[in-house]
Amino acid sequence: MDDTMIRVNDLGICFRMDRNKTTNLKEYVVRALKRQNSYEDFWALRNISFDVKRGEVLGIIGHNGAGKSTLLKAISRIIDPAEGSIECNGKVVPMLELGSGFDYELSGRENVYLNGAVLGYTKNFIDENYQAIVDYSEIGDFIHMPLKIYSSGMIARLAFSIATMVKPDILIVDEILSVGDEYFQEKSYKRMMELMQGGTTVLFVSHSLAQIRLMCSRVLWIEHGTIQQFGETNQVCDSYQLR
């Protein structure tokens, strides 16, 4: 039986860049009417191929702008590939930017249902798990207040509680363990370890090699949109530190 949860084959992500550096819509329309707009292709990722097994924790490392977050967004189906393919076998829960889907004019309670719906949870499921989400976030009576008065730590706790209310098949994590205060970081780390030990497959981006070495079985190192190295954790991390 094939236990591959994620298979990425010859993936390429391309963005069309405006050479004219148009700054407003009027200028863009005028140039378009005069057929003066010109573009160039920027390949954020190219020739990316790898697979991830069931229950594996794959670390993804590289400098800022290397293409790590773009890769996670492609696997999360937020952006479409220009070439190649991505196959995911199971429910994917992305934790890319905690609270990015929140409406700050709405209450915490309303955002639980809004964000839960975005993640694909039914209202009945959220009803059954609502109190557990609130309790884990430790927001208390603030759950009835609008998010615009929340601190960044409160928003992070609520978003993390919603995203991890169930055990997903595939969890995609981008730097969230560095969000919030030290207490929240420790609490989120413990929840992450529970998910991993329960068989969840995890893609984990972090600039902390200590976290990568501790949590990951293999590592994918990306530089300038291409794979620099892919293999056993300590071997790849050692090469990355010696670059």
Side-chain angles (χ1 to χ4, degrees):
M1 179 179 177
D2 187 4
D3 62 349
T4 300
M5 295 296 289
I6 302 171
R7 181 176 284 110
V8 177
N9 183 45
D10 203 24
L11 175 67
I13 300 292
C14 185
F15 299 110
R16 176 160 285 190
M17 311 294 287
D18 181 5
R19 284 181 175 173
N20 300 310
K21 295 182 171 58
T22 305
T23 57
N24 59 65
L25 180 60
K26 179 180 178 181
E27 183 182 352
Y28 176 85
V29 172
V30 170
R31 286 185 178 277
L33 291 173
K34 293 181 178 181
R35 298 185 177 181
Q36 294 176 340
N37 285 334
S38 62
Y39 306 92
E40 61 181 334
D41 289 339
F42 169 72
W43 287 90
L45 295 171
R46 203 79 191 265
N47 304 319
I48 303 293
S49 297
F50 64 94
D51 61 74
V52 188
K53 303 297 183 183
R54 185 183 305 276
E56 183 175 11
V57 182
L58 176 69
I60 303 175
I61 60 176
H63 72 280
N64 288 332
K68 305 183 300 297
S69 294
T70 299
L71 175 60
L72 297 190
K73 288 177 181 178
I75 295 173
S76 302
R77 308 297 186 189
I78 295 172
I79 55 179
D80 295 324
E83 60 186 22
S85 62
I86 302 171
E87 179 184 346
C88 295
N89 298 312
K91 179 176 177 57
V92 179
V93 172
M95 288 195 291
L96 304 181
E97 298 173 3
L98 286 179
S100 60
F102 283 163
D103 184 331
Y104 284 69
E105 295 299 320
L106 299 180
S107 69
R109 176 183 173 82
E110 290 168 320
N111 272 286
V112 169
Y113 283 87
L114 173 64
N115 202 236
V118 169
L119 292 173
Y121 303 141
T122 66
K123 182 180 183 300
N124 287 340
F125 180 85
I126 300 173
D127 286 340
E128 294 171 359
N129 290 273
Y130 173 78
Q131 195 57 50
I133 294 169
V134 176
D135 291 345
Y136 186 85
S137 68
E138 300 182 4
I139 288 173
D141 290 339
F142 278 95
I143 196 67
H144 303 295
M145 304 297 289
L147 255 66
K148 62 185 178 184
I149 71 167
Y150 282 29
S151 68
S152 59
M154 292 167 68
I155 291 170
R157 293 202 302 272
L158 183 60
F160 187 86
S161 300
I162 297 168
T164 60
M165 77 170 90
V166 295
K167 188 187 81 172
D169 299 307
I170 300 168
L171 185 64
I172 297 180
V173 181
D174 190 358
E175 288 290 354
I176 65 159
L177 297 187
S178 61
V179 176
D181 57 25
E182 184 176 349
Y183 169 76
F184 173 72
Q185 291 178 25
E186 179 65 22
K187 188 170 183 175
S188 61
Y189 171 76
K190 289 180 179 178
R191 174 64 71 89
M192 288 285 296
M193 293 305 294
E194 290 172 2
L195 291 172
M196 293 172 188
Q197 291 167 3
T200 295
T201 301
V202 180
L203 297 186
F204 179 52
V205 166
S206 177
H207 287 291
S208 170
L209 290 186
Q211 285 184 342
I212 293 287
R213 289 181 189 272
L214 179 66
M215 301 172 67
C216 303
S217 50
R218 288 191 296 169
V219 172
L220 178 69
W221 173 13
I222 298 177
E223 290 291 354
H224 306 296
T226 60
I227 293 178
Q228 183 75 17
Q229 193 173 345
F230 177 44
E232 189 273 330
T233 296
N234 286 327
Q235 185 178 49
V236 177
C237 288
D238 288 346
S239 297
Y240 183 75
Q241 288 184 302
L242 292 172
R243 72 192 189 284

